[in-house]
Amino acid sequence: MFGKLRRLVSKQPTRSELLSPVVQLDFASARPRLLPVLRHLARIDLARIESGDPSRRMQDLMAWRPFSEALGVAVAIDGEAASARIGQADLDRWRISFDAALEIAAGNLREKAAPSFMRTGSGLFISQYRDYYDAPRILLKELARQLPLVGAPVAMVPNKACLLLCGADDERALAEMVSAAGQVLTEQSRPLSSEMFRLEGDAWSAWRPPAAAGQELAWLQRAIRNRDYHDQQKALEAAHAKTGEDVFVAPYKLVKRNRDGALLSFSVLADGEPTWLPETDLVALDWNPRGIPLMVGWADFSKHAAHLLEKLSYVLPRYRVLAFPGGDCFEALRNAATTIDAAEA
């Protein structure tokens, strides 16, 4: 089964996507070429970091609106070898709103090709458009509603050339969906999202299935978040090396909980070291060189040490720690201390 699944989701086409502007098209020329695209916001955020100007907003890089925690919806001008994302300057020049441009783009995508899905033995549907616009077809909700799914429609978009659909009550298909998404996210270029979405009414919302499929999805999502944080850490370290800023960009780490094998994330905050901390399940307070670090859940840490945290303007949450907790704050954290096995994911 998994060999066939690998063939269905492998060797997806790749194509470049360029920042606007590429060509100064008038609206009449651009309109039939507008198509929606999904963008992985954490990867767009890397461009802000690498530009050396952290004050640049995401809106300065592209016109977009949120789709989920990890994804944004943008509009692109389709081309033979590349697509160019449109920016606010393009919209202003055309005198059109983003929502109007997105509606036109979705209509163009709807007319671009007939539905094309391969059904596996378990009931998982894998898109077969191979035109680089598989993922944004999640916006065309009628596609999911027209398929013979067992339960409410569920979707994943692991990269731009792959849309996975199945039913929320189909345990085998859900397990196969997580496996297929994991293959795309770990083996192919330009990953999008490890999120799973469920269609309720007319809106997709983040969802995690029960039982084994849910646990496998949680593993996958932790692993992908770990990769995203690693990329952010390296970009920030490179930026700090150029500016000479002396700060420890704390890594996002994973540890397995012994009682059930669940993955938990943690970061380390050392006394006396200026730190930019990622948001993790646990924070290890390294306060005594000869002692065991104090392990605290993020909810308790952010509650008691809120006055010491300054949230930075990045998609993946990261905080400048203004000072190591001391006095009453440290005692409150000591009273809230936990262990890896006792902590909740």
Side-chain angles (χ1 to χ4, degrees), residues 219-230:
W219 270 69
L220 175 62
Q221 291 175 338
R222 284 290 201 284
I224 297 304
R225 196 167 184 84
N226 181 43
R227 183 174 67 186
D228 289 343
Y229 259 121
H230 175 77

Side-chain angles (χ1 to χ4, degrees), residues 120-197:
T120 69
S122 71
L124 173 67
F125 290 83
I126 302 174
S127 65
Q128 299 290 294
Y129 292 93
R130 299 187 180 275
D131 62 0
Y132 316 101
Y133 292 97
D134 297 51
R137 284 183 169 91
I138 193 174
L139 302 174
L140 309 181
K141 304 178 186 72
E142 68 272 14
L143 293 178
R145 295 190 179 109
Q146 291 168 2
L147 295 174
L149 306 179
V150 182
V154 172
M156 292 186 75
V157 285
N159 76 1
K160 65 181 182 179
C162 184
L163 169 61
L164 305 173
L165 293 167
C166 74
D169 299 330
D170 194 334
E171 294 183 7
R172 287 184 59 210
L174 286 168
E176 195 171 14
M177 174 182 281
V178 175
S179 176
Q183 289 178 14
V184 175
L185 286 163
T186 58
E187 299 176 9
Q188 297 185 26
S189 62
R190 294 184 175 273
L192 275 179
S193 173
S194 59
E195 297 165 303
M196 181 178 285
F197 304 101

Side-chain angles (χ1 to χ4, degrees), residues 287-308:
W287 63 283
N288 184 346
R290 292 177 291 181
I292 299 175
L294 187 70
M295 196 73 74
V296 183
W298 182 264
D300 289 317
F301 178 73
S302 60
K303 172 185 175 181
H304 297 298
H307 61 295
L308 301 176

Side-chain angles (χ1 to χ4, degrees), residues 10-278:
S10 65
K11 297 182 180 180
Q12 295 282 7
T14 59
R15 190 169 73 159
S16 62
E17 189 169 352
L18 306 176
L19 286 171
S20 173
V22 175
V23 289
Q24 293 291 321
L25 292 178
D26 58 46
F27 181 62
S29 301
R31 180 174 183 140
R33 294 171 57 186
L34 295 182
L35 289 171
V37 291
L38 292 179
R39 299 296 293 161
H40 185 209
L41 297 177
R43 296 215 166 268
I44 295 293
D45 208 26
L46 291 178
R48 294 175 57 234
I49 299 172
E50 293 165 355
S51 73
D53 183 6
S55 65
R56 295 181 72 188
R57 304 170 305 160
M58 196 77 73
Q59 289 83 348
D60 298 329
L61 297 174
M62 65 178 183
W64 68 288
R65 77 177 186 198
F67 178 78
S68 67
E69 180 181 350
L71 296 172
V73 181
V75 177
I77 300 175
D78 189 41
E80 291 184 4
S83 60
R85 277 176 280 131
I86 65 172
Q88 188 58 48
D90 300 301
L91 297 176
D92 293 342
R93 180 162 49 85
W94 295 336
R95 298 182 180 180
I96 187 174
S97 69
F98 175 80
D99 286 343
L102 181 59
E103 184 176 354
I104 293 168
N108 290 343
L109 182 61
R110 186 173 285 110
E111 297 174 2
K112 193 175 191 303
S116 181
F117 290 90
M118 174 74 72
R119 180 176 184 171
T120 69
S122 71
L124 173 67
F125 290 83
I126 302 174
S127 65
Q128 299 290 294
Y129 292 93
R130 299 187 180 275
D131 62 0
Y132 316 101
Y133 292 97
D134 297 51
R137 284 183 169 91
I138 193 174
L139 302 174
L140 309 181
K141 304 178 186 72
E142 68 272 14
L143 293 178
R145 295 190 179 109
Q146 291 168 2
L147 295 174
L149 306 179
V150 182
V154 172
M156 292 186 75
V157 285
N159 76 1
K160 65 181 182 179
C162 184
L163 169 61
L164 305 173
L165 293 167
C166 74
D169 299 330
D170 194 334
E171 294 183 7
R172 287 184 59 210
L174 286 168
E176 195 171 14
M177 174 182 281
V178 175
S179 176
Q183 289 178 14
V184 175
L185 286 163
T186 58
E187 299 176 9
Q188 297 185 26
S189 62
R190 294 184 175 273
L192 275 179
S193 173
S194 59
E195 297 165 303
M196 181 178 285
F197 304 101
R198 176 172 171 156
L199 187 59
E200 297 289 351
D202 198 44
W204 292 103
S205 58
W207 182 69
R208 183 176 294 174
Q215 184 174 15
E216 289 300 315
L217 180 62
W219 270 69
L220 175 62
Q221 291 175 338
R222 284 290 201 284
I224 297 304
R225 196 167 184 84
N226 181 43
R227 183 174 67 186
D228 289 343
Y229 259 121
H230 175 77
D231 292 342
Q232 184 200 62
Q233 176 194 349
K234 294 305 178 185
L236 289 171
E237 289 174 342
H240 292 162
K242 291 179 180 178
T243 61
E245 186 169 1
D246 183 18
V247 61
F248 174 59
V249 183
Y252 178 100
K253 299 182 178 182
L254 295 176
V255 63
K256 185 182 294 187
R257 192 166 57 192
N258 289 329
R259 61 183 167 91
D260 59 1
L263 286 179
L264 297 175
S265 60
F266 76 97
S267 55
V268 178
L269 176 61
D271 191 3
E273 187 168 25
T275 300
W276 285 14
L277 204 65

